[in-house]
Amino acid sequence: TNVARHAQTSVAWVRLWTRAGQLTITIEDQGRGFDLTTRTLLGQSVGLASMRERTRLLGGAFSLDSAPNEGTRVRVTLPLRKAD
């Protein structure tokens, strides 16, 4: 949804994989991107802040890379738990 709403691009890549007891998800686009030094996750982007918070609540790691005119990449790594 964020890519469709903000990136001004029609192409995005979503990758999922598991390794060493972790699930990693990356979402990447080549859209307009933004300057991370002037935009805070909590102030101007509720969607990204929510993703970060949900990742933290699940014991995972969240990273965000973006730059103007260079696209955006979000990476979430979550621990996998064995079924009871």
Side-chain angles (χ1 to χ4, degrees), residues 19-83:
R19 183 175 159 203
Q22 295 184 324
L23 169 66
T24 301
I25 305 162
T26 62
I27 305 164
E28 187 172 358
D29 68 64
Q30 296 298 313
R32 67 183 183 143
F34 55 91
D35 184 350
L36 289 171
T37 63
T38 61
R39 176 180 271 193
T40 64
L41 285 178
L42 294 175
Q44 297 179 6
S45 180
V46 174
L48 290 171
S50 295
M51 289 171 67
R52 182 180 68 173
E53 179 63 14
R54 285 178 281 182
T55 300
R56 186 190 67 77
L57 290 171
L58 292 170
F62 177 90
S63 69
L64 173 65
D65 295 307
S66 189
N69 302 313
E70 294 185 19
T72 301
R73 181 179 63 191
V74 173
R75 175 175 283 192
V76 173
T77 302
L78 300 169
L80 293 174
R81 296 187 181 120
K82 295 185 184 222

Side-chain angles (χ1 to χ4, degrees), residues 13-24:
W13 300 270
V14 177
R15 296 176 184 95
L16 301 142
W17 68 93
T18 60
R19 183 175 159 203
Q22 295 184 324
L23 169 66
T24 301

